[in-house]
Amino acid sequence: MQNLKCQYVDVIKKEIYPARVSFNDSSICAIEKISEAPKFYLIPGLIDAHIHIESSMLVPSRFAAEALKHGTIATVSDPHEIANVCGQEGIDFMIKDGKTAPFYFYFGAPSCVPATEFETSGAIINSTMILELLKKDEIHYLSEMMNYPGVIYKNAEILKKIDYAHQLGMKIDGHAPGLRGEDLKKYFEAGISTDHECFSYEEAKEKAELGMKILIREGSAAKNYPALKKIISEYPELVMFCSDDKHPDDLLIGHINKLAARAIADGFDFWDVIRACTKNPYEHYNLRHGLAQISDPANFVLFKDLKDFEVDKVYHKGELLVENGEVKINLQRINPINNFFTYPLKAEDFKVKLRSKQIKVIEARDGELITGQLAHDVDSDDFEADIDNDILKIAVINRYKKSDPAIAWIKNFGLNKGALASTVAHDCHNIICVGTSDENISIVCNEIMQLKGGICVFDEEECHSLQLPVAGLMSDKEAFEVGSAYKKLDRIAKDIGSELKAPFMTLSFMALLVIPELKLSDKGLFNGKDFKFENLDAS
């Protein structure tokens, strides 16, 4: 039996008082009010209510080792990314690796693999497979239903997946950026319970008024807190905090604790804030790790204050895991998996013969997943790039079989030389690259082929790379090593001209077809608003 004197934070009764908390390796046995105690605040471990662990570029166990330092002890995790590459084998890998760490990974069954029929993935998960996944003890909900047209127009296969989740009493996550009005009502009435894709206050308010839980997202690329923060006080029982996608260098700095501190600094009620990252997701998803109440598992965090949420200690099942910023866990190595077909590419492979003197251009937007559409005049039918006007070529190459690259143009990457490439390319994780010439693009893509997955920047002198041997998405190395390597590549990308806050993260979303407006899949230029392919000509 262990005894701990602290300031106990009761997220159920909304009370804070000095207490002696008694616990063993299985549960909290007693919480006794006392006259005084040290100024360390015992709070249930924080929860990231929606994240793709793969986007941290760390396997689950390595992610856990870093997230624990910031007071996170649980994530509601969608293994959608690795499922698109490796199918059920990929999901099994995430579960198996996650079990090697003292952390609560609440995995969902990916509902959209592939996300759409307009791209090539490495696997397909149909409704029969979804049912089998949902029956697994390690699967806790149906992951984000991003094919909202399929829901609205009653696609039979989509409705089967939703029905299976209802039959098993599981929650269904949403993914419907910009969806409003009658179509939103149809989506909600199908049983969709959350949305983490709101990018305006008006959209979030409309969804909240229907009863949808609003997940306020602050990731490495998409940062919606400023637009949505009023929802915290207006609908406190419906709000959760999430990161969705968190790159390794950002994870080294902080996690959900940083978003909580930001909300407190903005003057929001403490209880509204702390419940958004503890009680609300815990109750919505019917989680198992407890809320630091009597008889709950002994999982909790001691914070040094209720302002900056700096961690003092973290306990998991009564065991002290984090102290003075150091995590005390031993991790096992799980053999990596991958799905990659390599073939050499030449500059000629990226040439396109244009039929008009004006082309459509994807407008990338810093800090957002949505894109715009522009038109640009060209002076030749074999146009490559207009560096002075920041119009660069973007390509997506099928990583699962040999195929011709899909080509388009993009604005706002700002490169004045070289090229970037990555196999972190939502949702199907084909190779995506942007560059100042066909030659530069071919060089960086061949480097990615040689690595069989990773991220790379070519500065016209050499390729600088981070290999991601697990499905081309993750490394099994420690967070500091991966984060440092990623930070170096980010700096080089900015040295050759990019002014984006997170150029590789932004690049990864340029193939995400379910987010409007223009995106690029391995099959061509795609309009995510109308859900159809478009030609390159703007005239």
Side-chain angles (χ1 to χ4, degrees), residues 208-504:
E209 287 176 346
L210 288 174
M212 293 183 79
K213 304 295 173 66
I214 305 302
L215 278 60
I216 296 180
R217 171 178 60 188
E218 280 287 296
S220 292
K223 300 178 184 294
N224 305 122
Y225 170 81
L228 307 183
K229 62 183 180 180
K230 285 198 299 182
I231 296 291
I232 296 172
S233 57
E234 293 178 358
Y235 299 91
E237 72 284 358
L238 298 180
V239 173
M240 306 180 217
F241 290 163
C242 77
S243 62
D244 195 6
D245 296 286
K246 195 79 168 172
H247 266 194
D249 56 332
D250 287 339
L251 186 61
L252 292 173
I253 298 170
H255 193 202
I256 297 298
N257 61 325
K258 293 297 183 182
L259 183 50
R262 187 174 179 184
I264 292 294
D266 281 345
F268 288 101
D269 178 77
F270 168 78
W271 295 111
D272 292 344
V273 171
I274 203 64
R275 293 171 101 182
C277 47
T278 58
K279 182 176 182 290
N280 288 354
Y282 179 85
E283 292 182 344
H284 178 74
Y285 291 103
N286 300 312
L287 305 182
R288 302 173 180 175
H289 62 274
L291 288 174
Q293 303 288 306
I294 294 175
S295 299
D296 279 350
N299 304 311
F300 49 80
V301 180
L302 286 181
F303 286 101
K304 295 180 181 179
D305 58 51
L306 300 179
K307 178 182 177 184
D308 297 323
F309 293 96
E310 184 179 350
V311 172
D312 180 57
K313 295 180 177 67
V314 177
Y315 288 82
H316 175 270
K317 295 182 179 179
E319 181 183 1
L320 179 61
L321 295 185
V322 177
E323 187 174 24
N324 298 322
E326 297 294 324
V327 62
K328 305 173 182 180
I329 59 177
N330 295 315
L331 300 176
Q332 304 172 29
R333 178 184 170 89
I334 305 296
N335 291 331
I337 60 172
N338 206 344
N339 183 2
F340 210 106
F341 181 80
T342 63
Y343 48 98
L345 293 162
K346 305 182 294 295
E348 292 75 23
D349 294 323
F350 297 93
K351 293 193 179 300
V352 175
K353 288 294 180 184
L354 297 170
R355 296 177 297 176
S356 74
K357 295 299 184 181
Q358 193 175 65
I359 57 172
K360 292 172 184 170
V361 176
I362 301 168
E363 180 195 22
R365 296 175 181 175
D366 203 7
E368 295 185 17
L369 306 191
I370 60 172
T371 59
Q373 177 174 326
L374 305 172
H376 182 71
D377 294 331
V378 298
D379 55 9
S380 67
D381 63 359
D382 60 353
F383 173 75
E384 292 187 27
D386 181 349
I387 296 173
D388 291 338
N389 289 301
D390 191 18
I391 306 296
L392 304 179
K393 186 171 281 187
I394 183 171
V396 174
I397 301 99
N398 191 322
R399 66 178 278 189
Y400 306 108
K401 63 181 181 180
K402 189 171 183 178
S403 182
D404 292 334
I407 305 296
W409 281 267
I410 193 164
K411 185 176 179 63
N412 289 333
F413 267 84
L415 303 183
N416 50 54
K417 64 178 180 178
L420 314 178
S422 176
T423 48
V424 180
H426 307 282
D427 278 308
C428 288
H429 302 290
N430 290 299
I431 300 170
I432 189 166
C433 55
V434 60
T436 55
S437 72
D438 294 342
E439 182 66 25
N440 290 336
I441 288 173
S442 67
I443 290 170
V444 79
C445 287
N446 283 327
E447 173 72 4
I448 290 289
M449 289 275 192
Q450 184 177 350
L451 296 174
K452 293 189 176 181
I455 63 174
C456 179
V457 53
F458 175 55
D459 61 8
E460 296 192 3
E461 293 183 6
E462 63 177 309
C463 285
H464 307 268
S465 306
L466 169 60
Q467 186 176 24
L468 300 173
V470 182
L473 300 173
M474 294 172 283
S475 171
D476 58 0
K477 295 179 179 178
E478 292 184 5
F480 179 78
E481 185 175 351
V482 178
S484 298
Y486 175 78
K487 193 172 183 178
K488 176 184 176 182
L489 297 183
D490 181 79
R491 187 193 73 243
I492 297 171
K494 292 170 181 175
D495 286 345
I496 62 172
S498 181
E499 295 183 356
L500 295 169
K501 294 187 183 75
F504 283 104

Side-chain angles (χ1 to χ4, degrees), residues 14-142:
K14 297 185 180 181
E15 295 179 350
I16 302 175
Y17 53 84
R20 179 184 295 107
V21 179
S22 303
F23 58 96
N24 54 32
D25 59 2
S26 62
S27 62
I28 296 174
C29 305
I31 301 171
E32 176 190 359
K33 287 186 178 181
I34 56 179
S35 58
E36 60 181 5
K39 295 294 183 182
F40 293 102
Y41 297 84
L42 189 154
I43 298 178
L46 306 183
I47 304 167
D48 188 329
H50 176 77
I51 187 172
H52 303 279
I53 299 297
E54 303 96 313
S55 291
S56 72
M57 301 183 192
L58 304 169
V59 293
S61 56
R62 294 295 186 184
F63 172 92
E66 192 61 33
L68 283 164
K69 296 177 185 178
H70 307 303
T72 303
I73 69 166
T75 58
V76 180
S77 309
D78 180 3
H80 170 88
E81 315 304 342
I82 197 169
N84 267 280
V85 177
C86 299
Q88 293 193 58
E89 184 183 1
I91 299 169
D92 291 341
F93 171 87
M94 299 296 280
I95 292 171
K96 185 176 181 181
D97 186 82
K99 285 182 176 179
T100 69
F103 194 89
Y104 292 90
F105 289 104
Y106 296 106
F107 288 111
S111 66
C112 299
V113 178
T116 74
E117 61 185 285
F118 306 105
E119 56 201 311
T120 303
S121 66
I124 295 173
I125 296 181
N126 60 28
S127 59
T128 301
M129 297 173 185
I130 284 289
L131 179 58
E132 293 306 310
L133 282 169
L134 290 173
K135 289 179 178 178
K136 286 177 172 279
D137 187 58
E138 298 91 348
I139 298 296
H140 300 269
Y141 67 106
L142 183 64

